[in-house]
Amino acid sequence: CVGVCVCEAVFISVCMCLNEFYRFYSLPPPPLLLMKRLFWIEIRKPSAVKLEGKGNRALTQDRSQTATTTKPASKQQLVAIKLGLARVAVLRYGVKEEGMRQAVDEHYSFIIDQDPQNYDAYVDYGSFLEELDRAAAVALYDRFPYANEETPSFDDAFLHGEAVRHIMKLELYTHPTLPKHLVGLGRALGLRRIESYIDKLDQLGNFSNMLKEVYAAINHKSVDDKDLQPFFKFKCWI
């Protein structure tokens, strides 16, 4: 019985492969009888079979009446499926295809709602929004649950950096989350990584207080710390 089941499984797998091959090359599907002769396998019709139970008791079960139960997909599987669908939609149709924005939004919204810490979803979705709506991309990066703000990871640094880049590109210098992203980026990659942004804000003026708070937070100190006062004076922030 086991050998027959294995043979049937092999036959079904081969049939599926042949069907995909014929479909790929736009050929008519191969006759079922031909495939049966090629592999010397006889497909059995559902019939009554005997199952041996305890006490040598014979039980009869009709295979045609056996219900096949399908296990529902788990949350992780659904998230993976949605992520794959969203990526395929973007790669195949592009960001400018009519109606594509709504479909991609629905897929990624589902993923983020079900798995808020799915880093790949934020990266892919943010890249998609960059060409359509930078402000929406910034709002997306604001939603990410950064695990450790004291010592951000390199993954966190990438999202912080993307948020800062979009905010500066949009010239939203008073954006409420700009300081947070500057601090996260500076803590993860160092002050040199944000020097260009700091210089830009410094040249604009009226951002001295914010810049002092950013520098102090990156160094895990308060704005009034005596060790930072000489640097603030050098930068003419006080």
Side-chain angles (χ1 to χ4, degrees):
C1 181
V2 175
V4 174
C5 293
V6 171
C7 291
E8 288 185 353
V10 172
F11 174 71
I12 293 173
S13 301
V14 173
C15 289
M16 293 176 64
C17 293
L18 286 176
N19 282 333
E20 291 297 326
F21 174 81
Y22 275 72
R23 185 184 305 173
F24 180 80
Y25 289 101
S26 301
L27 298 175
L32 182 61
L33 182 59
L34 175 61
M35 289 191 291
K36 288 167 60 179
R37 289 177 180 176
L38 286 174
F39 299 99
W40 305 288
I41 295 177
E42 182 68 25
I43 300 179
R44 297 182 301 164
K45 294 182 180 180
S47 59
V49 296
K50 292 183 178 181
L51 301 177
E52 298 295 333
K54 291 183 178 181
N56 297 324
R57 187 179 301 173
L59 300 177
T60 303
Q61 179 183 14
D62 191 352
R63 299 174 87 188
S64 62
Q65 297 178 355
T66 302
T68 58
T69 58
T70 303
K71 186 178 180 180
S74 63
K75 183 176 73 173
Q76 291 79 6
Q77 291 173 331
L78 289 175
V79 168
I81 291 171
K82 285 286 187 178
L83 185 59
L85 290 173
R87 286 173 171 173
V88 169
V90 174
L91 290 174
R92 182 169 183 178
Y93 299 105
V95 298
K96 297 182 180 179
E97 185 76 15
E98 183 179 357
M100 189 53 54
R101 168 73 185 273
Q102 180 180 359
V104 174
D105 285 346
E106 290 177 356
H107 287 314
Y108 281 114
S109 296
F110 175 86
I111 296 169
I112 293 173
D113 289 340
Q114 295 296 320
D115 187 7
Q117 294 183 334
N118 193 308
Y119 175 77
D120 291 338
Y122 287 88
V123 173
D124 294 346
Y125 194 23
S127 178
F128 172 77
L129 292 174
E130 180 177 353
E131 300 185 36
L132 300 174
D133 189 352
R134 287 182 181 271
V138 173
L140 173 69
Y141 298 133
D142 290 341
R143 291 180 57 188
F144 184 75
Y146 299 95
N148 191 346
E149 295 185 359
E150 293 296 321
T151 56
S153 64
F154 288 120
D155 289 343
D156 294 343
F158 177 81
L159 298 183
H160 283 306
E162 288 295 281
V164 172
R165 183 170 66 87
H166 291 321
I167 291 174
M168 299 298 287
K169 191 76 174 179
L170 293 170
E171 299 182 353
L172 300 176
Y173 305 121
T174 58
H175 195 280
T177 61
L178 177 58
K180 179 187 77 171
H181 293 301
L182 285 171
V183 171
L185 183 59
R187 284 179 174 176
L189 302 181
L191 289 169
R192 293 181 62 86
R193 182 61 183 82
I194 64 171
E195 277 185 355
S196 59
Y197 301 126
I198 296 298
D199 292 341
K200 177 66 175 179
L201 294 171
D202 196 15
Q203 292 172 5
L204 293 172
N206 300 324
F207 292 101
S208 298
N209 291 331
M210 185 191 76
L211 294 177
K212 287 193 298 183
E213 293 174 357
V214 168
Y215 264 88
I218 292 174
N219 290 280
H220 302 279
K221 296 181 179 181
S222 66
V223 176
D224 299 327
D225 190 280
K226 63 179 182 179
D227 294 334
L228 296 178
Q229 302 310 308
F231 178 77
F232 292 161
K233 290 180 180 179
F234 171 76
K235 300 291 289 186
C236 299
W237 292 345
I238 56 177

